[in-house]
Amino acid sequence: MATTLAPGRATMVLRQVDYWITVYRRTWKGTAVFSFLMPLMYVGAMGLLLGEYVDRSGAGAARLEGAASYLAFIAPGLVAAQAMQIGADESMWPVMGRLKWHKTYYSMIASPLSIGDVVTAQVLYSLFRVGLSCGVFLLVLTPFDVYESGWGAVLVWPVSLLVGLAFVTPVLGFSAGLSSEQGFALIYRIGVVPMFLFSGAFFPISNLSEPLQWLARATPLWHGVELSRMLTLAQLDLSMAAVHVCYLVAVGALGWWWSVRRLTRRLVI
Amino acid sequence: MIEARDLRKSFGGFEAVRGIDVEVPRGEAFGFLGPNGAGKTSTMRMVAAVSPPTSGRLSILGLSPIDDGPAIRARLGVCPQEDTLDNDLTVRDNLVVYGRYFGLPRTEVSARADELLRFMQLTDRAGDKVEDLSGGMKRRLTIARSLINQPDLLLLDEPTTGLDPQARHVVWDKLFRLKQQGVTLVLTTHYMDEAEQLCDRLVVMDGGRIVAEGSPLSLIRQHSTREVAELRFGVGEHEALADQVADLAERVEVLPDRLLLYTQDGEGTLARVHERGLNPVAVLVRRSTLEDVFLRLTGRTLVD
């Protein structure tokens, strides 16, 4: 009887919606201001002020992969980096809290929810946060003349979700096995910050030496930046776009699997 | 409700539960007693269908925890040793959100949350963050949360550890009412008074095994005498005096500060002690308790 009545996975995920709404209602004020202010600061400092030097140096469209201005070149990079940052953050302290400080994961899996259900709901919530924040960022960028086409501006939003996914799940898997939050510094120092600086957000990676170029191409952020830039600059290369999408989806899926595995090891002993 | 045969649980090379047989029928209040490290919590986690048994047979509500984990957990209430509440959420939200995990409709869960808050005397604190509650209130809220799905079987892992006497009595009162309503209770504790108050039947665990089983009264009859005479002499004299009273009781235990004489008739034994010209500084005749049984079975050595 029990097995025939067993609710599906989607039902189990939906049962957690009220929890995540409650969490969001508690935290949105703090994040709303930042998701508006941070992009403005980046656009001001890097895009406009630093960009003025770059544009005056006569770098030109040829050296900026066809972008009309430095701001137009880095805008898609900034959005992708924002997706990375928020995606990674959602999978660090909040995960440690549920594992170690409040231990709410333990109470969740004492209910009919499985670890897969818990991970899926948390990933979807993180993507909601990424989507909201990147959506605001993309709107803030509108008056700065960074979109070469309307469809590109629209499509870059779902790409930010893909970038978010490629960080939410692997970082969640990493956090699931950590005994203390000190490991988060590692994620920043060898993951988030180097990717932010060297994955093509601020300069074409052709400026890097050959081995470093390949290293940059291996990072999920590079795929996200390239794909986003194709769209905002309206220079779509379908085959390359497919590669980028597949890469990001694959990292996201592997990360999901790894998260479930590591959380199971941690919680089900 | 629970049926375990030769149930075992190992962590790496360490065997925490070493083959236990347990049967708990519907409506019973059943206790696992034992010192720290006896295997109580490991057993409870297996029964809660969150920790797979290493070997042996385990059936909960007639289902297998390996194959039907979610179906079992849907009908269980679990009050873990640590509260595992969401400290950032309000008291009421903790209940509502948790009820939703069981697929209860919003209106239903909302009504049950209010009812449980009343039952656990937390209505005044419904809108406060859990963070601001006292230990006793958090414990009551955790028990309230475990009742949100109106479970057939309620598992309580050390429900009153760390609470002050007032809070303990409030919790006991609530658990006693649940028992009267016919909820099957399974609890672990190392408080003997708790076990005597709440349990119809209990097992004493030590080192991963069951060392005794029965009702609190039958365990006292089986493993202790009716009464205990406690004699207090000068410091350091107890060891030497033990031999002089050994024949007056069924068993004599020497503690650093007193002698315990296990006997059927405490006053009679005491009179004979005086007849021998021994004059203890202080005496106490009392009934045997579950604590005497517990210490007899699991020893006085500290285990941690």
Side-chain angles (χ1 to χ4, degrees):
Chain A
M1 182 194 82
T3 39
T4 52
L5 289 177
R9 296 271 75 86
T11 311
M12 290 311 220
V13 170
L14 283 175
R15 286 180 181 183
Q16 297 168 73
V17 167
D18 285 22
Y19 169 62
W20 288 107
I21 289 175
T22 315
V23 169
Y24 183 68
R25 274 211 310 246
R26 196 184 73 228
T27 50
W28 74 273
K29 281 178 202 144
T31 55
V33 177
F34 272 105
S35 63
F36 188 75
L37 273 183
M38 289 302 285
L40 270 186
M41 290 202 281
Y42 276 121
V43 167
M46 318 280 300
L48 298 177
L49 297 169
L50 177 64
E52 199 194 324
Y53 287 100
V54 178
D55 292 335
R56 252 196 303 178
S57 75
R63 298 195 55 193
L64 288 172
E65 296 181 0
S69 67
Y70 185 62
L71 178 59
F73 176 78
I74 66 165
L78 287 174
V79 175
Q82 169 105 336
M84 163 181 76
Q85 179 94 39
I86 291 178
D89 278 350
E90 282 296 320
S91 288
M92 288 197 255
W93 284 271
V95 170
M96 193 51 75
R98 292 183 185 102
L99 262 180
K100 194 178 158 186
W101 301 319
H102 308 321
K103 298 188 180 256
T104 38
Y105 279 145
Y106 291 90
S107 66
M108 292 173 108
I109 63 156
S111 80
L113 303 176
S114 74
I115 289 178
D117 303 327
V118 171
V119 167
T120 304
Q122 168 147 353
V123 169
L124 289 177
Y125 172 76
S126 302
L127 290 184
F128 162 76
R129 288 265 297 110
V130 168
L132 204 61
S133 163
C134 289
V136 170
F137 199 158
L138 290 167
L139 286 176
V140 168
L141 285 171
T142 313
F144 294 97
D145 213 17
V146 296
Y147 303 125
E148 290 294 328
S149 76
W151 56 265
V154 171
L155 282 181
V156 78
W157 183 75
V159 168
S160 71
L161 293 181
L162 278 185
V163 177
L165 179 69
F167 284 92
V168 168
T169 61
V171 176
L172 175 52
F174 180 79
S175 303
L178 284 186
S179 55
S180 91
E181 65 275 23
Q182 276 156 5
F184 295 151
L186 203 68
I187 297 188
Y188 267 98
R189 282 177 200 149
I190 70 166
V192 170
V193 172
M195 277 193 231
F196 180 65
L197 295 174
F198 298 105
S199 289
F202 298 109
F203 55 85
I205 61 163
S206 54
N207 290 320
L208 295 170
S209 67
E210 190 73 13
L212 283 178
Q213 280 187 43
W214 282 107
L215 191 62
R217 285 193 189 105
T219 65
L221 186 60
W222 178 77
H223 291 273
V225 170
E226 284 296 303
L227 185 55
S228 302
R229 191 169 284 139
M230 273 183 195
L231 293 166
T232 60
L233 298 183
Q235 299 170 347
L236 196 59
D237 171 345
L238 273 179
S239 57
M240 271 316 285
V243 169
H244 296 317
V245 169
C246 288
Y247 185 93
L248 294 171
V249 169
V251 170
L254 271 175
W256 184 89
W257 173 82
W258 193 48
S259 302
V260 173
R261 191 184 147 92
R262 296 249 288 179
L263 264 186
T264 305
R265 289 232 174 128
R266 177 87 175 246
L267 300 175
V268 181
I269 45 166
Chain B
M1 305 294 272
I2 303 175
E3 214 184 316
R5 289 279 168 272
D6 196 28
L7 185 63
R8 288 168 191 273
K9 181 76 194 181
S10 302
F11 302 103
F14 172 70
E15 195 170 31
V17 180
R18 306 176 177 215
I20 60 169
D21 296 329
V22 177
E23 210 162 314
V24 181
R26 181 178 293 274
E28 188 172 62
F30 184 86
F32 286 100
L33 264 72
N36 291 335
K40 305 184 302 281
T41 298
S42 300
T43 305
M44 285 296 254
R45 285 174 49 79
M46 286 191 276
V47 173
V50 293
S51 170
T54 307
S55 73
R57 219 173 64 78
L58 178 63
S59 153
I60 302 139
L61 306 164
L63 300 168
S64 147
I66 305 287
D67 305 326
D68 302 306
I72 292 172
R73 295 197 300 270
R75 293 167 58 194
L76 291 185
V78 180
C79 172
Q81 206 166 351
E82 287 176 275
D83 286 322
T84 69
L85 296 164
D86 197 318
N87 285 322
D88 297 326
L89 262 53
T90 67
V91 168
R92 194 172 182 281
D93 279 344
N94 261 280
L95 297 179
V96 171
V97 154
Y98 203 71
R100 296 283 292 153
Y101 296 161
F102 290 84
L104 299 167
R106 282 195 187 92
T107 46
E108 176 71 30
V109 98
S110 180
R112 285 191 195 180
D114 292 332
E115 186 193 316
L116 285 169
L117 288 174
R118 258 198 310 279
F119 179 61
M120 286 294 172
Q121 292 164 270
L122 289 167
T123 307
D124 297 346
R125 308 300 298 264
D128 295 351
K129 274 195 179 182
V130 169
E131 221 167 29
D132 305 330
L133 298 187
S134 71
M137 288 176 174
K138 282 186 189 170
R139 211 62 193 137
R140 265 141 61 204
L141 179 58
T142 304
I143 298 173
R145 188 182 65 179
S146 71
L147 293 170
I148 195 85
N149 59 328
Q150 297 179 336
D152 296 325
L153 174 59
L154 182 59
L155 306 176
L156 303 138
D157 197 355
E158 297 190 8
T160 65
T161 297
L163 299 188
D164 63 29
Q166 284 83 359
R168 289 178 76 197
H169 280 276
V170 172
V171 169
W172 284 347
D173 175 52
K174 301 304 174 194
L175 293 179
F176 190 72
R177 281 182 208 202
L178 289 170
K179 187 178 145 185
Q180 283 184 317
Q181 289 165 22
V183 177
T184 310
L185 299 180
V186 173
L187 60 108
T188 74
T189 183
H190 42 231
Y191 292 128
M192 298 309 119
D193 45 353
E194 184 159 290
E196 284 190 88
Q197 288 247 4
L198 293 172
C199 297
D200 301 320
R201 205 161 57 85
L202 49 92
V203 292
V204 179
M205 286 186 79
D206 194 27
R209 291 194 177 85
I210 289 176
V211 291
E213 178 176 355
S215 69
L217 211 64
S218 76
L219 281 172
I220 293 170
R221 274 198 206 118
Q222 241 175 297
H223 299 279
S224 192
T225 52
R226 206 169 73 93
E227 295 189 331
V228 183
E230 302 197 356
L231 313 179
R232 200 178 290 259
F233 293 95
V235 180
E237 294 179 55
H238 297 98
E239 195 74 52
L241 289 167
D243 288 341
Q244 298 187 36
V245 296
D247 58 320
L248 299 180
E250 290 179 24
R251 190 163 65 90
V252 175
E253 193 174 0
V254 184
L255 299 185
D257 64 334
R258 66 210 137 114
L259 289 176
L260 301 185
L261 277 58
Y262 293 88
T263 168
Q264 294 306 324
D265 172 18
E267 292 296 341
T269 304
L270 196 58
R272 265 168 282 146
V273 168
H274 285 295
E275 278 166 23
R276 293 192 180 175
L278 299 173
N279 286 305
V281 185
V283 293
L284 169 71
V285 173
R286 58 170 177 83
R287 290 200 160 245
S288 260
T289 64
L290 212 44
E291 188 139 344
D292 297 309
V293 175
F294 185 84
L295 291 172
R296 171 99 202 255
L297 292 171
T298 63
R300 286 189 187 268
T301 325
L302 196 60
V303 272
D304 250 328

